[in-house]
């Protein structure tokens, strides 16, 4: 959620009753603090929606077909880090809902009360919970007025401690047919790179993952992992706008080879405002200066929020340099990237 005081709370409503969905939507639409982004009839549809669209809070019933509200809570709050306000007739489920992560539990009043404006206290609670819980999880850090979101030609990723697990979550969230080549530098021990590339290729079936090769043409929908003990950089861009990769034996930077900064700087140099980069969990400061160069050249950077980092070192350093366009918890990064690269 944007930290701007004028930013509206994005709400998804999940209820198998069309009448309840309609009443909630009407009450929220007349409140200028909210934007109703979707109405769905069950929790499965709610989960599918939030995976690819930004949502600040979900208002959900419990008793629904396919997937009940309690089961959905475990996914929405536990895995996707989305606050959920339960709105249910079954008051006996309150303790269970709160135990499973519900930010709020409200018993549905009679329909007569709903139709006469009786939702105002509940809506105020929803607003306060969404505002509080999202305040430090997802925010724009620097001005993005000059960013052309439809122009990205390459995606770069950098990570260190805790990186493989974090990046696996991110990559699987990109779905099928991702439209950009993906260049990825991970701090690795020597001899661990081949196993790491094979693990990613197996655990991310939506994308092809391999160790980068010198002189290789990077193709859309493919992930190129920097081999151990060499820097991965972009040598030049071919006539089709594709990056030609180079494996460099230049000295280690801050004792690191490969270094995220090397990759990010080369992408900033060659792609300017067509460069999109994601910096995830890791110890130290590698990648921060590279993020700064990307931003200074008109590109766009997203760094992982402290709430989901194994080590909040590299992302924190980028934030300190004012080099993060956005700071997002891990589950929200892939949906945001998809939104950026597919915007027109």
């Amino acid at each position: 959620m944007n930290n701007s005081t004028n930013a509206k709370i994005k709400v998804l409503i999940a209820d198998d009753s069309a009448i309840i969905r309609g009443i909630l939507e009407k009450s929220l639409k007349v409140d200028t603090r909210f934007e109703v982004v979707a109405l769905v009839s069950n929790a499965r549809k709610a989960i599918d929606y939030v995976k690819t669209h930004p949502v600040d809070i979900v208002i959900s019933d419990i008793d629904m077909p396919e997937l009940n509200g309690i089961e959905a809570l475990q996914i929405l709050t536990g895995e996707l880090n989305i606050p959920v306000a339960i709105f249910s007739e079954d008051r006996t489920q309150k303790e269970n809902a709160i135990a499973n992560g519900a930010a709020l539990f409200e018993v549905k009043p009679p329909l007569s009360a709903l139709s006469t404006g009786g939702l105002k206290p509940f809506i105020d609670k929803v607003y306060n919970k969404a505002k509080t819980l999202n305040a430090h999880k997802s925010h724009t850090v620097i001005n993005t007025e000059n960013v052309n979101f439809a122009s990205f030609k390459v995606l770069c990723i950098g990570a260190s401690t805790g990186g493989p697990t974090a990046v696996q979550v991110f990559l699987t969230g990109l779905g099928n047919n991702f439209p950009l080549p993906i260049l990825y530098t991970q701090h690795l021990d020597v001899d661990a790179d081949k196993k790491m590339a094979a693990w990613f290729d197996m655990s991310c079936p939506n994308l092809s993952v391999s160790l980068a090769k010198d002189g290789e043409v990077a193709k859309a929908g493919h992930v190129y992992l920097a081999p151990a003990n060499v820097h991965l950089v972009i040598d030049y861009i071919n006539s089709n706008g594709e990056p030609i990769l180079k494996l460099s034996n230049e000295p280690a930077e801050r004792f690191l080879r490969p270094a995220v900064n090397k990759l990010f700087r080369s992408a900033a140099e060659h792609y300017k405002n067509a460069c999109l980069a994601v910096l995830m969990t890791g110890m130290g400061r590698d990648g921060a200066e590279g993020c700064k160069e990307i931003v200074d050249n008109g590109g766009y950077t997203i760094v992982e929020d402290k709430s989901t980092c194994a080590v909040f070192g590299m992302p924190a350093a980028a934030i300190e340099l004012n080099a993060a366009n956005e700071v997002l918890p891990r589950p929200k990064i892939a949906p945001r990237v998809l939104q950026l690269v597919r915007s027109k």
Side-chain angles (χ1 to χ4, degrees):
M1 186 179 69
N2 194 307
N3 271 352
S4 167
T5 55
N6 296 320
K8 292 188 176 184
I9 301 294
K10 296 180 183 295
V11 184
L12 179 146
I13 300 169
D15 200 300
D16 58 342
S17 166
I19 294 173
I20 296 297
R21 293 198 304 270
I23 291 173
L24 282 169
E25 180 187 25
K26 183 178 179 181
S27 298
L28 288 165
K29 279 192 170 181
V30 298
D31 191 319
T32 57
R33 298 174 297 177
F34 295 94
E35 176 187 354
V36 178
V37 295
L39 305 172
V40 297
S41 59
N42 62 58
R44 175 63 65 193
K45 292 178 180 178
I47 290 167
D48 290 343
Y49 184 91
V50 303
K51 285 181 177 179
T52 55
H53 300 81
V55 173
D56 294 318
I57 194 164
V58 172
I59 298 176
S60 175
D61 193 8
I62 286 181
D63 186 13
M64 292 182 288
E66 290 193 42
L67 190 72
N68 68 44
I70 297 298
E71 293 170 324
L73 264 173
Q74 297 167 354
I75 298 172
L76 289 167
T77 64
E79 297 179 21
L80 301 176
N81 208 26
I82 308 292
V84 177
I86 294 294
F87 192 50
S88 172
E89 295 173 345
D90 189 355
R91 65 178 66 246
T92 66
Q93 288 290 332
K94 180 174 182 178
E95 185 176 337
N96 192 19
I98 298 299
N100 280 279
L104 183 64
F105 187 99
E106 188 83 3
V107 177
K108 286 180 184 175
L111 278 177
S112 57
L114 291 176
S115 59
T116 56
L119 279 175
K120 182 66 167 61
F122 173 56
I123 288 173
D124 287 342
K125 292 177 185 177
V126 170
Y127 176 80
N128 290 332
K129 281 291 183 181
K131 197 77 173 176
T132 301
L133 293 174
N134 284 284
H136 302 295
K137 290 182 179 178
S138 166
H139 58 281
T140 299
V141 178
I142 59 177
N143 193 301
T144 61
E145 291 179 1
N146 297 321
V147 177
N148 181 358
F149 294 133
S151 70
F152 296 120
K153 302 297 183 186
V154 68
L155 170 63
C156 296
I157 305 171
S160 185
T161 312
T165 301
V167 174
Q168 190 269 340
V169 170
F170 170 54
L171 292 177
T172 54
L174 295 178
N176 298 317
N177 304 312
F178 188 72
L180 307 179
I182 304 170
L183 313 183
Y184 171 26
T185 289
Q186 167 73 46
H187 298 156
L188 286 169
D189 292 332
V190 176
D191 299 327
D193 51 4
K194 290 180 181 178
K195 290 182 180 179
M196 185 66 68
W199 177 79
F200 271 114
D201 195 50
M202 179 183 67
S203 61
C204 303
N206 56 310
L207 296 163
S208 296
V209 183
S210 63
L211 287 179
K213 299 175 183 176
D214 192 60
E216 188 171 18
V217 180
K219 299 292 186 179
H222 194 109
V223 182
Y224 301 86
L225 175 65
N229 205 33
V230 291
H231 297 299
L232 171 61
V233 296
I234 296 171
D235 194 12
Y236 63 94
I237 301 172
N238 68 14
S239 58
N240 294 322
E242 299 165 322
I244 308 300
L245 305 182
K246 179 180 179 180
L247 301 182
S248 167
N249 288 309
E250 290 182 46
E253 180 170 327
R254 293 185 177 175
F255 308 103
L256 296 168
R257 193 171 68 180
V260 178
N261 275 334
K262 289 283 190 180
L263 172 61
F264 282 15
R265 286 195 194 102
S266 71
E269 176 187 354
H270 290 287
Y271 279 99
K272 310 296 183 187
N273 66 349
C275 177
L276 175 62
V278 172
L279 186 64
M280 304 192 78
T281 176
M283 188 179 297
R285 301 184 59 85
D286 190 27
E289 292 173 4
C291 281
K292 180 64 173 172
E293 292 205 24
I294 290 171
V295 167
D296 288 347
N297 278 277
Y300 200 82
T301 63
I302 298 172
V303 308
E304 186 177 0
D305 184 73
K306 182 178 181 179
S307 64
T308 57
C309 279
V311 180
F312 190 53
M314 290 158 56
I319 294 169
E320 289 172 10
L321 289 179
N322 203 28
N325 290 101
E326 290 188 72
V327 181
L328 296 172
R330 188 176 302 171
K332 289 191 175 184
I333 298 176
R336 180 57 171 151
V337 166
L338 289 173
Q339 184 183 49
L340 291 174
V341 302
R342 291 173 178 168
S343 61
K344 299 296 180 185

